[in-house]
């Protein structure tokens, strides 16, 4: 039995299927057989994946090369009974780990969301009786009944349909409900076109149906997507890659210098223990202890700033990843578009009318050549809109300020267009109450309603449906206000014109009915209709998306559409939004590929195709995933947007997954790194800007903090080589690194975004954090700190200043040079003297706080005991301030020479 449940069920007849799965098409499964199959197949739920426990996640916070060095230094220092130094070193490591653990996003919930999504009830036939059961109890072979409002409980092959429509947008990306059929389809038919199938988790919007369950739990399409989500690799972001690479390089340099320090000291006859402590001091000084915490906190600040711009970050590294994004792969339905079918054009009385307004909100008007039209002055137009309003089973209502459709979205669009024209639905329905209905069926391709005019006593029939079908039923048409000969060619040309622009077109017609008949009779609508007009609708683009896409182009970001919708609709929307421009094509050129065509390409060819094409239509979930992987193979940093279950695997695989907060399914939200609370593609532009700003500020922090670490290491190394007492101790180095990082360096996180940030090209994913000029600046400031700290230490020792006081002076040199250098680092593109001094008030507040804390370090007896510091004289303060001011102006001179060099290179 189990081996049978892996077939092209859409390709075999329902009788063959019933034989294969051993079920009765009238009575369903027996109770005994149900029990047997429940034991064989298990419950109808998607399996949960095992999550990493909190203890393991906390331990992994220590899994960093530089942390290993600090831990080793702390434990050896503890073994040597340097209690205070050991406690301070280990405390710094633990605090960093706690910060990382708290800020790390919670364990993934995507699989659990899938389980919740499909937990519902279902109506089944078992042992000849209709019964309602929890969906988890369904087994393969069950005979399930569906009706409007039901959530499909498992994958099913439909055996009976009666006007059955199912919303599969969350699974396939199809923007309108799918009309189901019980015909056979070829084996290669893609999932979105298998109209004789119903899939787990989709929603029945209209009609009734019955089917045989062919897959449950993990074997369903939803379950398969669950596996794709769990198998997608969590990629390292550009920032984490760079920090990791930087940490490894720094680790090797630190270990080499520490070994050199130890070897030189021992060679000179110094105590091995003292030289080991000196090596620890060098290692502690060279390691930027504040960097992990600072990166985490700066990213968290970026998260808060993005939340203010309606972008919620679920995973901290996503803040920075946005800033380096090179390609945005966007779903169409609900992301670039409103996900609300909207009538935009009408053709009636020989004229084309435009309908303004978008979505289900009944605000807009009918216009002709940009001039408003009064429908009460055009009987044919009014009749066409009335036909769409009455030949309809959908309702529009307002819920929490949001307009919604109850029923089929296509029918809902006809209701909205009528209301926009000024027609009053209640008044019309009271004047023309419905007497009888012929519901829409796919075989029939039309719907008809019979109405009794309370004013005239006439009976009138309104019909809507497929254009070709209604043309075969019409004998005449309304033209210039009169009933005229039917011009089928004109109507078909207009239909094709609308369809070529990605629109769905419905035809409307009418006829008068015998006055004494209140019911339809068989075959009486085979002819005799009068054609009223066409209504052309589309799921329209969001109005702000086009400008957002152009902003992405200016920022060097390509935008691609990856959708499950039809190719004509996707291409039409892409043209309206100007997607081609982001790839360098003209506005009319839209390189488009369908899911069926993608199957024909090898993995190598797909990589090139993903680079060149703009629109990918009718694609399956695994194809979305492959397209993201193909772009990543070209070293693109890929952002993927989406709102459906079908988007979740690609959201998780992408460098940053962007889910819709309003219309998005729980699965897509949990798979994403970021949620848009307004479902607005334009918000991504704001998020990219913030991401670039965060990376700028992180770079400023690194350029600011590294000179201190390098300077501290050089001071230790120089002292060992010169054979003098260490000017600073390990515990003092930790004081410098932690306090300055928190009170000074973190203030750089609040720097406003620089002008022109969205006109730069994206950073290359393999580009280093530090440029050649930044490295030169870091070396310069490191040398200035070395000269200032070591020079003042030696000078003061030579004039009889005590060791602890001289060390306190050396520590203060590092602190106050860092304070001055902070204002050199507030921008890496604008010279210091051209910066607005007060644009970041927190930098000033932090500097004042650092000054106060340093006074406490110098003059508090308690701090003197812990950190081996001592009060210093007024003359020492003057020396420290002079060194700091000189360093500040030397950096300004460096900026001037740097800018001259850049200008010269640009001119050359």
């Amino acid at each position: 039995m189990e081996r049978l449940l892996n077939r092209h069920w859409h390709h075999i007849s329902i009788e063959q299927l019933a034989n294969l799965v051993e079920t009765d098409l009238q009575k369903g499964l027996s109770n005994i057989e149900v029990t047997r199959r429940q034991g064989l197949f298990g419950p109808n739920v998607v399996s949960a994946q095992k999550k990493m426990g909190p203890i393991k996640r906390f331990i992994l916070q220590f899994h960093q090369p530089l942390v290993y060095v600090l831990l080793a230094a702390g434990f050896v220092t503890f073994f040597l009974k340097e209690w205070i130094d050991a406690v301070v070193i280990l405390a710094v490591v633990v605090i960093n780990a706690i910060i990382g653990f708290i800020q790390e996003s919670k364990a993934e919930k995507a699989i659990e969301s899938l389980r919740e999504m499909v937990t519902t009830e279902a109506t089944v036939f078992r042992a000849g009786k209709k019964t309602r059961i929890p969906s988890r109890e369904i087994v393969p072979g069950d005979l399930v009944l569906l009706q409007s409002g039901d959530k499909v409980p498992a994958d099913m092959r439909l055996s009976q349909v009666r006007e059955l429509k199912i919303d599969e947008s969350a699974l396939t990306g199809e923007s309108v409900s799918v009309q189901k059929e019980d015909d056979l389809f070829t084996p290669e038919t893609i999932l979105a076109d298998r109209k004789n199938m119903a899939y787990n988790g989709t929603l029945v919007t209209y009609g009734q149906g019955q089917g045989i369950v062919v897959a449950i739990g993990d074997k369903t399409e939803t379950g398969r997507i669950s596996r794709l989500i769990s198998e997608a690799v969590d990629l390292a972001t550009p920032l984490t890659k760079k920090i990791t690479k930087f940490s490894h390089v720094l680790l090797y340099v630190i270990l080499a210098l520490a070994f050199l320090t130890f070897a030189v000291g021992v060679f000179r006859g110094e105590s091995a223990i003292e030289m080991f402590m000196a090596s620890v001091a060098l290692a502690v000084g060279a390691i930027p202890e504040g960097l992990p915490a600072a990166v985490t906190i700066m990213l968290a600040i970026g998260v808060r700033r993005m939340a203010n711009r309606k972008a919620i970050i679920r995973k901290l590294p996503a803040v920075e990843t946005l800033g380096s994004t090179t390609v945005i792969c966007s779903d169409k339905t609900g992301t670039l578009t409103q996900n609300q079918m909207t009538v935009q054009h009408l053709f009636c009385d020989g004229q084309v009318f435009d309908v303004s307004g978008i979505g289900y909100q009944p605000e807009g008007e009918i216009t002709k050549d940009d001039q408003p039209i009064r429908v009460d002055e055009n009987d044919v137009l009014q009749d066409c809109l009335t036909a769409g309003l009455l030949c309809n089973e959908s309702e529009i209502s307002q819920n929490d300020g949001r307009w919604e459709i109850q029923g089929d979205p296509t029918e809902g669009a006809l209701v909205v267009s009528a209301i926009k024209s000024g027609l009053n639905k209640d008044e019309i329905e009271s004047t023309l109450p419905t007497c009888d209905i012929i519901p829409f069926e796919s075989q029939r391709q039309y719907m008809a309603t019979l109405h009794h005019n309370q004013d005239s006593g006439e009976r009138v029939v309104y019909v809507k449906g497929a254009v070709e079908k209604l043309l075969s039923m019409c004998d005449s048409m309304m033209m210039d206000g009169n009933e005229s000969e039917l011009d089928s060619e004109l109507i078909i040309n207009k239909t094709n014109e609308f369809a070529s622009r990605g629109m769905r077109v419905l035809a409307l017609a009418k006829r008068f009915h015998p006055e004494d008949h209140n019911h339809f009779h068989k075959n009486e609508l085979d002819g005799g209709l009068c054609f009223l007009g066409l209504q052309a609708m589309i799921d329209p683009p969001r109005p702000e998306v086009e400008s957002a896409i152009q902003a992405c182009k200016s920022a060097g970001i390509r935008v691609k559409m990856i959708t499950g919708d039809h190719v004509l609709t996707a291409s039409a929307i892409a043209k309206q939004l100007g997607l081609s421009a982001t790839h360098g094509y003209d506005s009319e050129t839209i390189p488009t590929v369908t899911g069926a065509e993608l199957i024909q390409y090898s993995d190598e060819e797909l990589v090139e195709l993903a680079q060149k094409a703009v629109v990918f239509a009718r694609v399956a979930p695994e194809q979305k995933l492959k397209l993201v992987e193909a772009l990543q193979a070209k070293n693109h940093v890929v952002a993927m947007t989406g709102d459906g279950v079908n988007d979740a695997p690609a959201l998780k695989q992408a460098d940053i997954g962007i889910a819709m907060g309003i219309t998005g399914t729980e699965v897509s939200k949990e798979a994403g790194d970021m949620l848009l609370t307004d479902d607005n593609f334009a918000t991504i532009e704001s998020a990219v800007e913030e991401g670039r700003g965060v990376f700028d500020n992180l770079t400023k922090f690194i350029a600011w903090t590294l000179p201190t670490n390098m300077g501290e290491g050089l001071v230790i190394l120089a002292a060992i080589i010169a054979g003098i007492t260490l000017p600073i101790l390990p515990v003092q180095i930790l004081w410098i690194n932690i306090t300055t990082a928190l009170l000074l360096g973190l203030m750089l996180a609040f720097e406003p975004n620089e002008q022109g940030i969205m006109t730069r090209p994206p950073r290359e994913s393999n580009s280093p954090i530090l440029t050649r000029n930044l490295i030169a600046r870091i070396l310069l400031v490191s040398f200035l700190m070395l000269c200032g700290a070591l020079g003042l230490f030696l000078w003061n020792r030579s004039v009889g200043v005590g060791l602890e006081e001289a060390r306190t002076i050396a520590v203060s040199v590092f602190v106050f040079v860092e304070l001055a250098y902070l204002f050199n680092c507030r921008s890496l593109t604008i010279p210091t003297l051209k910066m607005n001094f007060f644009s970041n008030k927190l930098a000033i507040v932090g500097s004042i706080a650092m000054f106060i804390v340093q006074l406490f370090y110098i003059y508090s007896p308690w701090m003197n005991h812990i950190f081996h510091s001592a009060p210093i004289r007024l003359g020492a303060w003057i020396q420290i301030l002079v060194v700091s001011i000189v360093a500040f102006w030397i950096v300004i001179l460096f900026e001037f020479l740097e800018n001259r060099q850049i200008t010269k290179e640009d001119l050359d």
Side-chain angles (χ1 to χ4, degrees):
M1 176 69 183
E2 187 168 7
R3 64 184 176 83
L4 296 177
L5 300 182
N6 195 15
R7 291 173 173 261
H8 295 301
W9 300 114
H10 56 280
H11 180 58
I12 62 176
S13 70
I14 197 68
E15 290 77 15
Q16 288 178 289
L17 172 60
N19 289 331
L20 285 170
V21 299
E22 300 173 4
T23 192
D24 190 306
L25 286 172
Q26 302 301 321
K27 297 181 180 180
L29 298 172
S30 67
N31 293 328
I32 295 175
E33 182 62 16
V34 167
T35 302
R36 189 184 76 81
R37 294 190 186 191
Q38 286 176 339
L40 179 63
F41 296 104
N44 177 30
V45 295
V46 177
S47 300
Q49 302 296 319
K50 189 176 181 180
K51 305 296 182 183
M52 184 185 297
I55 296 176
K56 184 176 181 181
R57 285 191 289 116
F58 180 73
I59 292 173
L60 286 177
Q61 303 299 320
F62 300 93
H63 185 49
Q64 302 175 46
L66 297 180
V67 173
Y68 291 155
V69 176
L70 282 176
L71 284 171
F75 284 121
V76 173
T77 306
F78 190 84
F79 178 75
L80 295 176
K81 299 184 179 181
E82 297 289 342
W83 310 118
I84 294 177
D85 290 14
V87 169
V88 172
I89 292 172
L90 295 174
V92 167
V93 174
V94 172
I95 290 170
N96 275 333
I98 292 172
I99 292 173
F101 178 77
I102 292 173
Q103 293 289 355
E104 188 179 79
S105 50
K106 295 179 181 180
E108 292 291 341
K109 296 180 181 178
I111 308 301
E112 292 178 15
S113 297
L114 279 164
R115 295 177 68 191
E116 292 172 5
M117 172 184 168
V118 299
T119 300
T120 181
E121 289 191 338
T123 302
V124 299
F125 268 117
R126 284 182 176 171
K129 295 181 179 180
K130 186 165 68 172
T131 182
R132 191 84 171 159
I133 63 170
S135 64
R136 64 178 288 114
E137 296 179 6
I138 284 178
V139 297
D142 257 328
L143 196 61
V144 177
L145 278 68
L146 299 174
Q147 60 183 3
S148 182
D150 284 349
K151 186 172 284 186
V152 179
D155 286 3
M156 301 163 49
R157 167 69 160 85
L158 297 170
S159 57
Q160 297 178 20
V161 294
R162 187 172 184 273
E163 298 94 45
L164 181 65
K165 293 183 181 181
I166 298 181
D167 179 359
E168 297 179 343
S169 59
L171 185 64
T172 66
E174 178 68 65
S175 57
V176 297
S177 298
V178 178
Q179 181 76 43
K180 292 300 181 178
E181 305 171 3
D182 56 6
D183 296 336
L184 297 183
F185 295 88
T186 59
E188 59 272 12
T189 303
I190 64 173
L191 185 142
D193 291 335
R194 298 173 188 172
K195 296 183 179 180
N196 59 5
M197 298 289 297
Y199 293 105
N200 187 15
T202 57
L203 183 66
V204 179
T205 60
Y206 190 79
Q208 298 172 344
Q210 179 178 302
I212 298 175
V213 172
V214 296
I216 63 170
D218 293 338
K219 299 295 184 180
T220 63
E221 290 297 321
T222 301
R224 187 169 58 84
I225 291 174
S226 159
R227 291 195 302 277
L228 291 175
I229 296 172
S230 62
E231 290 167 5
V233 179
D234 278 325
L235 299 179
T237 71
L239 178 66
T240 56
K241 290 176 184 176
K242 292 183 177 99
I243 293 292
T244 300
K245 184 177 180 180
F246 171 76
S247 297
H248 280 92
V249 172
L250 191 58
L251 173 64
Y252 298 140
V253 172
I254 290 169
L255 292 177
L257 289 176
F259 178 78
L260 177 63
T261 300
F262 182 81
V264 169
V266 172
F267 179 76
R268 292 171 58 90
E270 302 289 344
S271 164
I273 292 180
E274 289 183 5
M275 287 305 96
F276 178 81
M277 290 303 298
S279 300
V280 169
L282 186 144
V284 170
I287 292 174
E289 294 89 359
L291 182 59
V295 169
T296 301
I297 294 170
M298 292 179 86
L299 288 176
I301 292 170
V303 167
R304 189 189 67 191
R305 286 167 63 165
M306 287 189 181
N308 293 335
R309 302 183 75 167
K310 300 183 179 180
I312 305 299
I313 300 296
R314 296 182 62 249
K315 301 174 183 178
L316 285 182
V319 178
E320 180 275 334
T321 310
L322 275 167
S324 56
T325 297
T326 59
V327 175
I328 298 175
C329 296
S330 177
D331 185 40
K332 179 188 75 69
T333 305
T335 308
L336 297 174
T337 65
Q338 297 277 334
N339 197 18
Q340 297 182 346
M341 293 298 290
T342 305
V343 174
Q344 293 192 330
H345 302 288
L346 297 101
F347 172 71
C348 63
D349 205 24
Q351 306 174 73
V352 175
F353 299 91
D354 300 319
V355 184
S356 64
I358 57 175
Y360 295 147
Q361 188 168 348
E363 294 182 3
E365 58 184 359
I366 311 296
T367 62
K368 171 70 176 170
D369 299 326
D370 296 325
Q371 297 300 314
I373 298 295
R374 288 176 57 92
V375 294
D376 56 2
E377 296 178 356
N378 187 319
D379 292 340
V380 180
L381 176 60
Q382 184 171 0
D383 227 7
C384 181
L385 290 163
T386 300
L389 182 65
L390 294 178
C391 190
N392 203 309
E393 292 189 291
S394 292
E395 299 284 342
I396 180 174
S397 63
Q398 195 172 18
N399 185 20
D400 294 329
R402 179 180 172 87
W403 288 93
E404 298 176 344
I405 293 293
Q406 286 78 48
D408 184 76
T410 303
E411 289 191 333
L414 300 177
V415 174
V416 174
S417 67
I419 296 175
K420 286 178 180 179
S421 73
L423 297 181
N424 187 300
K425 190 172 187 290
D426 292 335
E427 289 182 5
I428 291 176
E429 288 179 338
S430 64
T431 303
L432 291 165
T434 302
C435 302
D436 200 3
I437 295 177
I438 299 179
F440 181 89
E441 288 187 359
S442 56
Q443 296 89 342
R444 192 184 296 125
Q445 294 187 307
Y446 72 83
M447 173 184 178
T449 54
L450 173 61
H451 304 273
H452 181 194
N453 192 318
Q454 300 297 300
D455 295 334
S456 65
E458 296 177 314
R459 270 72 167 176
V460 61
V461 175
Y462 287 118
V463 186
K464 79 165 189 298
V467 177
E468 296 81 0
K469 180 62 178 178
L470 260 66
L471 284 179
S472 69
M473 300 164 63
C474 290
D475 299 332
S476 61
M477 67 182 292
M478 297 302 296
M479 179 69 73
D480 299 325
N482 300 305
E483 188 169 353
S484 307
E485 183 180 352
L486 182 68
D487 188 344
S488 298
E489 185 177 353
L490 172 63
I491 296 169
I492 290 173
N493 287 340
K494 283 297 177 184
T495 300
N496 292 337
E497 179 185 331
F498 291 138
S500 68
R501 291 153 63 185
M503 296 186 176
R504 180 169 183 170
V505 183
L506 288 179
L508 299 116
K510 68 178 286 189
R511 60 166 280 186
F512 290 102
H513 203 64
E515 291 187 7
D516 57 343
H517 290 185
N518 285 326
H519 299 284
F520 287 116
H521 295 286
K522 188 176 181 180
N523 300 327
E524 69 176 289
L525 288 182
D526 288 349
L529 295 179
C530 177
F531 177 83
L532 292 175
L534 306 172
Q535 293 203 42
M537 64 193 70
I538 197 170
D539 179 13
R542 293 177 177 271
E544 63 280 350
V545 167
E546 184 176 1
S547 60
I549 287 174
Q550 292 309 310
C552 288
K553 178 190 175 185
S554 299
I557 301 171
R558 297 180 179 184
V559 181
K560 297 178 184 289
M561 180 192 295
I562 304 179
T563 178
D565 217 337
H566 291 281
V567 64
L568 279 178
T569 305
S571 297
I573 295 295
K575 286 181 181 179
Q576 291 183 49
L577 294 174
L579 278 182
S580 287
T582 65
H583 293 69
Y585 300 113
D586 62 64
S587 59
E588 293 302 314
T589 303
I590 303 285
T592 304
V593 182
T594 66
E597 293 169 338
L598 283 177
I599 298 173
Q600 311 301 322
Y601 289 89
S602 65
D603 290 344
E604 293 75 15
E605 292 171 329
L606 186 62
V607 170
E608 296 302 321
L609 181 68
Q611 178 90 347
K612 295 176 183 177
V614 178
V615 174
F616 299 87
R618 304 298 274 174
V619 296
E622 62 270 20
Q623 290 176 322
K624 291 187 178 186
L625 185 62
K626 285 186 176 181
L627 286 169
V628 171
E629 292 172 334
L631 289 166
Q632 289 170 335
K634 278 288 188 179
N635 295 320
H636 281 294
V637 178
V638 181
M640 171 73 188
T641 74
D643 60 355
V645 176
N646 62 318
D647 298 319
L651 286 173
K652 191 159 187 278
Q653 175 65 33
D655 296 276
I656 175 165
I658 305 173
M660 302 297 111
I662 298 175
T663 60
T665 60
E666 284 302 309
V667 180
S668 66
K669 291 176 185 178
E670 295 297 339
D673 304 294
M674 183 175 89
L675 273 70
L676 303 183
T677 61
D678 58 356
D679 281 16
N680 192 336
F681 181 90
T683 302
I684 298 173
E685 176 202 346
S686 301
V688 169
E689 180 182 343
E690 289 295 344
R692 290 187 173 192
V694 167
F695 189 85
D696 278 359
N697 291 343
L698 279 170
T699 304
K700 294 170 190 175
F701 177 84
I702 292 171
W704 170 83
T705 194
L706 285 188
T708 303
N709 300 113
M710 187 172 293
E712 291 164 344
L714 290 174
V715 165
I716 300 297
L717 184 60
I720 297 301
I721 293 175
I724 62 175
T725 305
L726 293 183
I728 48 178
L729 299 174
V731 70
Q732 294 171 337
I733 290 171
L734 287 172
W735 166 263
I736 297 170
N737 293 353
I738 297 301
T739 57
T740 57
L742 293 175
L743 296 177
L744 297 178
L746 278 181
M747 300 305 109
L748 293 171
F750 300 96
E751 283 296 324
N753 295 336
E754 297 186 14
Q755 292 183 351
I757 195 170
M758 285 300 287
T759 58
R760 308 177 196 162
R763 297 185 314 277
E764 294 184 9
S765 58
N766 57 355
S767 63
I769 296 177
L770 301 177
T771 63
R772 183 182 61 185
N773 287 336
L774 280 181
I775 292 173
R777 176 191 286 224
I778 289 168
L779 293 174
L780 171 64
V781 179
S782 300
F783 180 73
L784 293 174
M785 288 184 171
L786 166 66
C787 294
L790 185 59
L792 289 187
F793 175 80
L794 294 174
W795 168 260
N796 281 279
R797 288 291 288 159
S798 69
V799 296
V801 172
L803 178 60
E804 289 188 342
E805 185 178 349
R807 281 174 170 164
T808 303
I809 293 171
V811 168
S812 298
V813 168
F814 277 103
V815 169
F816 286 100
V817 170
E818 278 195 274
L819 192 155
Y821 181 51
L822 177 73
F823 292 90
N824 296 123
C825 290
R826 288 186 55 208
S827 174
L828 300 178
T829 57
I830 302 173
T832 301
L833 297 181
K834 293 184 178 180
M835 287 286 294
N836 180 352
F837 184 77
F838 295 100
S839 62
N840 184 356
K841 294 182 175 61
L842 285 175
I844 300 172
V845 172
S847 299
I848 295 172
M850 186 68 243
F851 179 76
I852 294 171
V853 168
Q854 189 63 16
L855 287 177
F856 186 61
Y857 169 86
I858 295 171
Y859 295 107
S860 166
W862 180 64
M863 295 293 282
N864 294 160
H865 174 71
I866 294 176
F867 291 100
H868 311 291
S869 59
I872 60 177
R873 300 163 289 108
L874 177 62
W877 276 109
I878 296 174
Q879 296 169 6
I880 293 166
L881 294 176
V882 168
V883 170
S884 303
I885 293 170
V886 168
F888 176 78
W889 283 100
I890 289 176
V891 175
I892 289 177
L893 177 62
F894 175 84
E895 291 175 348
F896 174 74
L897 296 175
E898 183 182 53
N899 289 334
R900 282 191 60 184
Q901 179 65 27
I902 292 173
T903 303
K904 182 179 178 182
E905 290 176 357
D906 290 342
L907 290 174
D908 293 343

